[in-house]
Amino acid sequence: MNIGSSQNLATPDDANEITLPDIVNFLAESWKILALAAITGAVLGLGGWWLLGSYSAEYILLNNTNTNTNTNTNTNTNTNTNTNTNTNTNTNTYGLDLLSWKLIQKSLPNLAAQIVDDGKAPEGQVALYKTLAGDQWWQKNAIPNYALSKADTKELAGISKEFDSASTTILSLAIHASGPSKEGAIDAVRGASQFLRSGGAYLQIRSMLNGYEGEVISAAGEIQRKITSTKIEMGHQQQRAKSLEELYKRYPTNSSAGQQVVDTKESGGKYLSITTQIVAANNDINQSKELLLRLEDRLAQLALTKSFLDEALPKIDTTFDGLVLDKELLAIEATLRAKIGKDDPKQQEILDQIRSQLLIIQARFTKGLEANTAPTSSGKNGMIKSTAGGMAGGFSLVLMLLLVQRFWASIKVMVLSEDPHAS
């Protein structure tokens, strides 16, 4: 009896070996369970996709503006010849180049996070702005389309250097977003695109104001130093002119002697006629006066710039919408322009510069990044992937449990083979 029992029990070596018949027997015994587990996993994956799957939408923003330049030139000569030159130039300029896009792409997540922290996200878009605060979102969902792809660049390499700039020229930006429904996905992609434009305008306006603020701080002190040193130098020049005039009175007969043209500041300049030296000294004085006038005008321009900054900088903390901020700053500029009047071109120059930069930013993020088609939305993606994933997951889980069960049974067999009296 004991001999028969020992023959029916597997030896330790046999228990550790897995043969092809073992695998076939295992699958024959367990295929129903594995099939049921795979079907159950597929159903669960399909249900998860139906409940949690999202729709996707795409919005294409073109990155170009058209600039029309008309030049009319009329030339009249002494021979009564009238020459008319009409030039019409239609050029394409791009709102964002590669460098400015990279700077904006890196800064927009921080701006979105700041908007969320300050509680200034548009109504109903807090969740969207939290998503936009991630760096990876902009890497995956804001895709620039270049004039030449990488494959085109490799194919056309060495043909012409003109293709070098084309490979970094952005023609459009493809914005992608997702939502629980088609309407939700379209609303999300519209919100993301609007934030791209308003946030990009805000970042460039803030950079512009920071530049003006730094200029006011650093340039004002340097200009004042130059004014002081110029006044000191002009005092010496006036004293020299006075001394020359006194010398002219003492030696009037030698005042008009012909001399070769020599710079009065050279070593031989002191031997020039007194009248020549007097003219040169007064010319130096006039140049110093002109320099003082220019420096004082520049100082007045910086003072006007500071007045603009005093009103503009607080606006940065009240709104993060760059397009709204741009209009507010244009209104401040218009108010300052009305105060200085039309008879001060020197003050108007700095306001013209500010206004020009604001209008460029406004055009860049409105007409420069403009969509010519509505957003497109596609159905839920990933049904096959979710179903297959659920099927594989259910099959793998049950297979692992069955293998663990079989392994545990083999251990019991090994124990019984070593100690038949073990329970």
Side-chain angles (χ1 to χ4, degrees):
M1 182 68 181
N2 292 333
I3 296 175
S5 300
S6 63
Q7 290 176 347
N8 293 330
L9 294 176
T11 63
D13 294 336
D14 294 337
N16 291 330
E17 294 180 358
I18 299 177
T19 62
L20 181 60
D22 293 335
I23 298 175
V24 173
N25 292 334
F26 173 76
L27 294 176
E29 295 172 0
S30 308
W31 73 269
K32 293 182 179 180
I33 298 176
L34 293 174
L36 180 61
I39 294 173
T40 303
V43 172
L44 292 176
L46 182 62
W49 168 82
W50 181 259
L51 295 176
L52 302 177
S54 59
Y55 291 83
S56 60
E58 182 184 58
Y59 204 17
I60 303 297
L61 299 179
L62 301 180
N63 183 41
N64 66 297
T65 58
N66 290 325
T67 303
N68 297 319
T69 304
N70 296 317
T71 305
N72 297 319
T73 304
N74 296 320
T75 305
N76 296 320
T77 64
N78 294 331
T79 58
N80 296 325
T81 301
N82 188 14
T83 303
N84 296 322
T85 303
N86 298 319
T87 304
N88 293 322
T89 305
N90 188 359
T91 58
N92 288 328
T93 58
Y94 295 91
L96 292 177
D97 57 19
L98 181 60
L99 179 59
S100 59
W101 163 243
K102 288 299 182 182
L103 291 175
I104 290 175
Q105 188 182 34
K106 293 293 184 182
S107 302
L108 283 177
N110 295 332
L111 179 60
Q114 184 178 358
I115 292 174
V116 173
D117 293 340
D118 293 349
K120 294 185 178 181
E123 185 177 357
Q125 294 187 356
V126 176
L128 174 62
Y129 273 68
K130 288 182 179 179
T131 302
L132 298 178
D135 293 335
Q136 293 300 319
W137 189 95
W138 292 98
Q139 297 291 336
K140 296 180 180 179
N141 297 286
I143 310 300
N145 298 315
Y146 298 99
L148 291 178
S149 65
K150 292 183 178 179
D152 294 334
T153 303
K154 293 180 180 179
E155 182 179 353
L156 300 174
I159 296 179
S160 175
K161 293 183 179 180
E162 296 177 359
F163 294 115
D164 294 341
S165 60
S167 62
T168 59
T169 298
I170 300 175
L171 296 182
S172 62
L173 294 171
I175 310 300
H176 301 89
S178 59
S181 63
K182 287 187 176 181
E183 293 76 12
I186 290 176
D187 290 340
V189 78
R190 285 187 183 274
S193 300
Q194 179 60 26
F195 174 69
L196 168 61
R197 287 181 284 202
S198 64
Y202 175 85
L203 293 171
Q204 291 199 352
I205 289 175
R206 188 172 65 181
S207 177
M208 182 194 80
L209 295 181
N210 289 339
Y212 279 122
E213 190 175 17
E215 183 181 13
V216 168
I217 295 173
S218 61
E222 178 63 18
I223 290 175
Q224 188 60 56
R225 184 193 66 79
K226 289 182 178 180
I227 288 176
T228 302
S229 62
T230 302
K231 287 181 178 180
I232 294 173
E233 179 63 23
M234 190 171 65
H236 294 304
Q237 292 168 350
Q238 290 172 339
Q239 182 62 40
R240 183 170 183 275
K242 183 179 179 181
S243 300
L244 288 172
E245 289 173 355
E246 293 177 355
L247 190 62
Y248 174 77
K249 294 177 182 179
R250 293 177 58 185
Y251 303 100
T253 57
N254 296 327
S255 59
S256 58
Q259 296 287 343
Q260 185 180 0
V261 178
V262 179
D263 188 351
T264 57
K265 296 179 181 179
E266 294 181 358
S267 60
K270 60 184 178 180
Y271 300 110
L272 294 174
S273 65
I274 298 177
T275 53
T276 300
Q277 295 185 57
I278 291 174
V279 170
N282 282 276
N283 185 52
D284 291 339
I285 293 172
N286 292 334
Q287 288 180 352
S288 296
K289 289 180 178 180
E290 180 181 352
L291 178 58
L292 279 176
L293 184 60
R294 290 178 180 274
L295 292 173
E296 290 171 355
D297 289 341
R298 181 58 184 150
L299 204 59
Q301 287 182 337
L302 291 176
L304 183 60
T305 303
K306 186 177 184 304
S307 299
F308 172 79
L309 290 174
D310 289 341
E311 297 186 51
L313 289 176
K315 298 288 185 180
I316 293 182
D317 299 326
T318 60
T319 179
F320 294 101
D321 189 330
L323 300 178
V324 174
L325 179 62
D326 194 283
K327 294 179 180 179
E328 293 178 351
L329 298 187
L330 285 172
I332 294 174
E333 181 272 333
T335 302
L336 292 175
R337 186 181 294 272
K339 291 180 180 179
I340 65 174
K342 299 180 180 180
D343 299 331
D344 193 349
K346 300 168 186 175
Q347 295 286 71
Q348 287 181 359
E349 181 185 18
I350 191 63
L351 292 180
D352 288 343
Q353 179 180 334
I354 293 173
R355 184 171 183 271
S356 174
Q357 288 181 288
L358 290 174
L359 290 176
I360 289 174
I361 294 174
Q362 184 184 72
R364 178 176 295 146
F365 291 98
T366 53
K367 300 299 181 181
L369 288 177
E370 190 177 29
N372 60 354
T373 58
T376 58
S377 176
S378 59
K380 291 183 177 180
N381 297 323
M383 181 183 68
I384 297 177
K385 184 178 180 180
S386 298
T387 304
M391 181 183 295
F395 181 87
S396 301
L397 178 61
V398 173
L399 178 62
M400 183 180 65
L401 293 176
L402 291 176
L403 291 175
V404 170
Q405 183 182 13
R406 182 60 60 92
F407 178 72
W408 180 251
S410 66
I411 292 178
K412 286 186 176 181
V413 171
M414 291 175 62
V415 172
L416 290 176
S417 65
E418 294 177 356
D419 187 3
H421 301 288
S423 56

